[in-house]
């Protein structure tokens, strides 16, 4: 049986970019403010590292999803 650990945020090799963006938008609606690495690790099946690998950075993923990081 598998249990959740801090290593669960290992990038997944076959993740659909569109699915990542939809999940990021869902998290954005769930949390207060702009989603953080911790939010992505806690509220997604993919984890922050997957977003960083797929988009080059978390900020680039947020930009691709249309989430502004300006305050």
């Amino acid at each position: 049986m598998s249990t959740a650990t801090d290593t669960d945020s290992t990038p997944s090799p076959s993740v659909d970019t569109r699915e990542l963006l939809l999940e990021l938008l869902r998290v954005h609606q769930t949390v207060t403010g702009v989603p953080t690495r911790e939010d992505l690790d806690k509220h997604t099946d993919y984890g922050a590292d997957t977003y960083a690998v797929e988009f080059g950075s978390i900020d680039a993923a947020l930009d691709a999803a249309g989430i502004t990081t300006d305050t």
Side-chain angles (χ1 to χ4, degrees):
M1 180 160 95
S2 177
T3 59
T5 65
D6 289 340
T7 59
D8 285 346
S9 65
T10 304
S12 176
S14 60
V15 178
D16 179 52
T17 302
R18 183 172 160 255
E19 178 64 28
L20 286 173
L21 292 173
L22 290 172
E23 188 78 350
L24 184 53
L25 290 169
R26 183 190 62 76
V27 171
H28 181 52
Q29 293 176 340
T30 302
V31 301
T32 302
V34 175
T36 64
R37 290 187 67 87
E38 292 78 18
D39 292 328
L40 296 177
D41 286 339
K42 182 177 179 180
H43 298 288
T44 72
D45 292 334
Y46 307 109
D49 289 343
T50 300
Y51 286 89
V53 168
E54 181 69 25
F55 295 95
S57 70
I58 301 300
D59 284 342
L62 293 167
D63 186 52
I67 300 170
T68 59
T69 57
D70 299 335
T71 54

